[in-house]
Amino acid sequence: MSKPLTQQLFQLIKSMSKSEKRNFRLYATRNSGEKELKFLALFTALDAQTEYDEAALLQKVNGVNKRQLSNLKAHLYQQLLASLRLLYKRVGDLELRELLDFATVLYEKGLFLQSLDQLAKARVLAIQRNRQSILMEVLEFEKMIEARHITRSHAERATELIQWGQETRSRYQADEAWSDLALEMYGLYLRMGHVKNQTEYDYVEQYFLERLPQDSTELSFFGEVYKAQAYVWCHFTLQNWRRCYRYAKRWVQLFLDHPKFQTLELDLFIKGLHNLLSVLYYNMDRTRFYQYFALLEEIVEERKEDFNENGRIYAFIYTELARINMYFLEANFAEGVAAIPHIEQELVKYQDRVDEHRVFTFWYQFACLYFAQGQYREAIKYLQRIVNSPKLTLREDIQVFARLLKLIAHYELGDRDHVDAQIRSVYRFLLKFEHMQDVQKAVMDFLKESVYMNRDELTPHFRKLQTRLETIAQNPYQRRPFLYLDLYTYLRTKIEGLSMEEAVKLRVSEGTY
């Protein structure tokens, strides 16, 4: 077994719950052949390891050499998947697939009418669950049986199947067109981030309009969700928060209006809530943010037994990211900092199954919380993790602002030599990845000019930077950096001698936040 597959086997075992492992042992011992006993011994040995150790495995599994071990691991992997499939055969689309498998077996045995009975059950279930692709597969199978064999069906059966097939195919193609566009727009956002100028705005808008499907066919439930997703990612990239909110709300409302799909696609529902909460946070819409955050917590708590492992991980991620944003909205930085150790512990537990995009987001949020609390060295610790990442194209936006915030943190600590030495490096990074906007340049110029000044002389320079940023912010394409760095509030703490918490609350009371 290759190293990637060995790692997959190890990860699969470590992801299994106690009940899943108990079920597998019962499944494995249904036969008592020597091979079965060996793969069960391998499972037990791997389950006991905290890190993969092949030498220890060879000692634990008697009568197996290194060459045989590779085949045994491959066999174990297949048996684990078979066991899990049986355990979860009523979950998701597995039940539908099982009915199709039954229909195929019966057809191969020449039991055409029994095969059609299984397909009829699958068709009803596919319609109930809005699974257009599987419904097409079922209808094609039914058409094939009716065309090749005498089934004594009623005279209108062929016409009925043809009509169902045409309607399903048309709806499926329409759904897929929106699904493709949603994925394309998400990929475009990951590549570009938020637009930085009119040229990028025009490019994204034209890119979206050129690929916009024609609304000539009624969409299924999931087609409507894909349509909402496509618009969400388009307007999120364009920083059109009003329209983005409209479609993010539409995404969530679809699930609220059709509760049965909350169970069938719980992950997709809470992802919609996550995106809606992100938009509300960027809008600083506290009232609606609290409303939908309460809904997210309620859904996660009430349906915790319905989540699979993947769902539990993303319920944790979306809930904690929203909670951190709430700490910023409320200027409750002390409570936010206190929550970091628990969140990081959970991230370590799920590290093999949480993508680096999410991890970077958490690290940057942790750094911002520590920075707001004046714990600059702790902030730098998390920012350095981002800066040290070899994947420079991963979350370029966060990579850029991590470097900028790190410079400001060192500036606050009085690390003058470090700031002076790193300014050129950050300049080069911003230019290389084309992220040198006016805001970044203004901050870099300020740091370069003021790094060796006495702190008592800096207030006029802070006011000068504040005025410069206010002028820059009048350009809508230059507002993006303020999504990542609350520079207005930071400067107010310097000019008026306030804490970050005091400055945020003051801006809220003044209606300027």
Side-chain angles (χ1 to χ4, degrees):
M1 184 180 253
S2 65
K3 285 186 178 179
L5 287 177
T6 296
Q7 188 63 25
Q8 288 174 16
L9 171 62
F10 192 71
Q11 288 177 351
L12 176 59
I13 292 173
K14 292 304 172 186
S15 73
M16 292 171 69
S17 65
K18 289 181 180 179
S19 62
E20 290 170 339
K21 291 174 183 177
R22 183 170 59 251
N23 181 76
F24 174 69
R25 289 190 173 92
L26 292 171
Y27 171 83
T29 54
R30 71 200 188 284
N31 297 314
S32 57
E34 181 182 353
K35 189 174 182 180
E36 280 72 19
L37 292 176
K38 283 184 178 179
F39 82 69
L40 185 56
L42 176 60
F43 170 78
T44 302
L46 283 168
D47 188 31
Q49 291 186 346
T50 53
E51 293 185 6
Y52 180 74
D53 185 342
E54 189 159 295
L57 284 182
L58 290 170
Q59 291 179 350
K60 290 282 186 182
V61 185
N62 296 326
V64 176
N65 59 38
K66 188 170 184 177
R67 185 175 179 180
Q68 293 170 324
L69 182 62
S70 179
N71 291 332
L72 194 60
K73 285 188 287 189
H75 181 62
L76 173 58
Y77 189 74
Q78 293 300 319
Q79 293 300 310
L80 285 168
L81 292 178
S83 168
L84 290 169
R85 190 185 189 286
L86 285 172
L87 184 62
Y88 292 108
K89 66 180 182 179
R90 298 300 178 197
V91 175
D93 292 339
L94 288 178
E95 185 176 6
L96 273 167
R97 292 293 176 191
E98 184 179 60
L99 288 169
L100 278 167
D101 291 343
F102 290 163
T104 302
V105 170
L106 292 167
Y107 176 80
E108 293 297 328
K109 291 183 68 63
L111 302 172
F112 310 129
L113 295 180
Q114 291 186 42
S115 180
L116 287 171
D117 285 343
Q118 296 297 316
L119 290 172
K121 293 177 184 177
R123 177 166 24 89
V124 170
L125 197 57
I127 292 171
Q128 288 175 350
R129 296 185 176 181
N130 220 266
R131 298 302 195 203
Q132 302 298 316
S133 60
I134 298 179
L135 180 57
M136 281 183 60
E137 193 174 342
V138 170
L139 291 171
E140 288 301 316
F141 201 163
E142 288 185 280
K143 283 164 62 180
M144 183 269 288
I145 294 175
E146 294 288 356
R148 294 185 184 181
H149 308 284
I150 299 172
T151 61
R152 299 182 177 86
S153 298
H154 58 80
E156 292 79 21
R157 175 66 169 162
T159 304
E160 187 178 67
L161 282 174
I162 291 170
Q163 185 177 348
W164 279 348
Q166 290 173 342
E167 291 174 356
T168 303
R169 190 178 300 108
S170 177
R171 188 177 298 112
Y172 175 72
Q173 289 172 348
D175 288 355
E176 282 297 288
W178 282 108
S179 174
D180 290 347
L181 182 57
L183 186 59
E184 282 188 276
M185 296 312 298
Y186 181 58
L188 187 65
Y189 167 70
L190 291 180
R191 291 196 304 275
M192 292 183 60
H194 301 292
V195 295
K196 299 182 284 295
N197 49 55
Q198 186 66 44
T199 300
E200 289 190 356
Y201 185 100
D202 292 341
Y203 171 77
V204 172
E205 188 174 52
Q206 188 65 25
Y207 186 96
F208 182 74
L209 291 174
E210 286 176 353
R211 291 160 177 78
L212 203 60
Q214 298 297 318
D215 283 335
S216 56
T217 302
E218 182 182 353
L219 297 172
S220 72
F221 171 82
F222 290 108
E224 292 289 353
V225 173
Y226 298 144
K227 181 177 179 179
Q229 285 181 317
Y231 277 101
V232 164
W233 287 116
C234 175
H235 295 304
F236 195 80
T237 307
L238 296 174
Q239 298 185 73
N240 188 332
W241 304 126
R242 183 179 61 82
R243 286 198 161 193
C244 193
Y245 165 74
R246 173 185 170 188
Y247 287 102
K249 184 180 178 183
R250 167 69 176 159
W251 179 347
V252 171
Q253 195 62 45
L254 281 164
F255 280 95
L256 295 177
D257 292 341
H258 302 85
K260 70 176 182 180
F261 290 111
Q262 294 180 24
T263 301
L264 292 173
E265 287 291 346
L266 193 49
D267 296 3
L268 190 57
F269 179 32
I270 63 169
K271 184 170 184 176
L273 279 167
H274 162 69
N275 283 292
L276 179 55
L277 285 165
S278 296
V279 175
L280 291 171
Y281 172 70
Y282 287 138
N283 270 332
M284 294 295 163
D285 189 336
R286 288 170 175 75
T287 302
R288 291 193 180 99
F289 183 93
Y290 297 147
Q291 172 191 342
Y292 284 105
F293 181 58
L295 176 60
L296 175 61
E297 287 191 304
E298 179 185 329
I299 293 295
V300 170
E301 178 60 29
E302 286 185 354
R303 296 183 174 272
K304 58 185 176 183
E305 299 302 324
D306 297 331
F307 281 112
N308 56 26
E309 185 65 10
N310 188 55
R312 279 190 288 274
I313 293 170
Y314 278 93
F316 154 72
I317 288 173
Y318 296 147
T319 303
E320 294 307 324
L321 284 175
R323 199 186 314 279
I324 290 173
N325 284 339
M326 187 173 68
Y327 294 141
F328 284 112
L329 287 175
E330 296 178 340
N332 195 351
F333 306 123
E335 190 173 334
V337 165
I340 290 175
H342 166 70
I343 298 173
E344 186 154 41
Q345 186 179 14
E346 292 296 300
L347 285 175
V348 170
K349 184 168 75 175
Y350 296 132
Q351 60 185 341
D352 293 331
R353 286 162 286 166
V354 177
D355 62 88
E356 290 176 285
H357 162 91
R358 302 294 181 192
V359 174
F360 271 34
T361 303
F362 274 111
W363 285 349
Y364 188 75
Q365 294 284 53
F366 293 166
C368 290
L369 284 170
Y370 277 119
F371 186 91
Q373 273 292 92
Q375 298 183 40
Y376 303 117
R377 295 207 183 279
E378 287 298 315
I380 290 169
K381 181 177 76 174
Y382 287 101
L383 295 169
Q384 193 63 44
R385 291 184 188 179
I386 300 172
V387 170
N388 287 343
S389 170
K391 299 182 179 180
L392 295 180
T393 58
L394 179 65
R395 285 309 304 265
E396 283 182 23
D397 50 353
I398 288 181
Q399 298 241 20
V400 164
F401 291 102
R403 284 163 170 77
L404 199 57
L405 185 58
K406 182 168 168 279
L407 270 183
I408 298 173
H410 278 292
Y411 175 83
E412 285 294 325
L413 289 168
D415 297 338
R416 297 178 175 183
D417 292 339
H418 179 92
V419 174
D420 192 35
Q422 290 299 309
I423 282 178
R424 296 182 190 85
S425 174
V426 176
Y427 252 114
R428 287 194 295 271
F429 186 89
L430 294 175
L431 291 171
K432 178 180 179 181
F433 290 98
E434 300 180 357
H435 281 276
M436 181 62 83
Q437 289 182 270
D438 292 347
V439 173
Q440 289 92 311
K441 190 175 187 307
V443 173
M444 298 282 281
D445 289 346
F446 169 80
L447 293 173
K448 189 175 180 180
E449 292 171 2
S450 64
V451 64
Y452 289 109
M453 290 183 182
N454 292 327
R455 294 299 171 102
D456 296 339
E457 303 171 354
L458 285 174
T459 299
H461 295 276
F462 283 123
R463 291 188 187 279
K464 180 181 174 183
L465 176 59
Q466 185 183 53
T467 301
R468 185 175 175 184
L469 292 177
E470 287 172 351
T471 301
I472 292 170
Q474 292 176 15
N475 181 342
Y477 300 116
Q478 295 290 339
R479 293 172 188 165
R480 171 174 162 270
F482 299 108
L483 300 176
Y484 297 87
L485 287 174
D486 190 357
L487 293 168
Y488 287 131
T489 305
Y490 168 70
L491 289 173
R492 192 162 188 175
T493 66
K494 300 284 115 185
I495 295 168
E496 300 180 28
L498 304 171
S499 69
M500 284 290 285
E501 182 176 336
E502 291 170 334
V504 169
K505 290 180 177 178
L506 192 58
R507 288 187 67 187
V508 171
S509 67
E510 293 171 346
T512 58
Y513 207 122

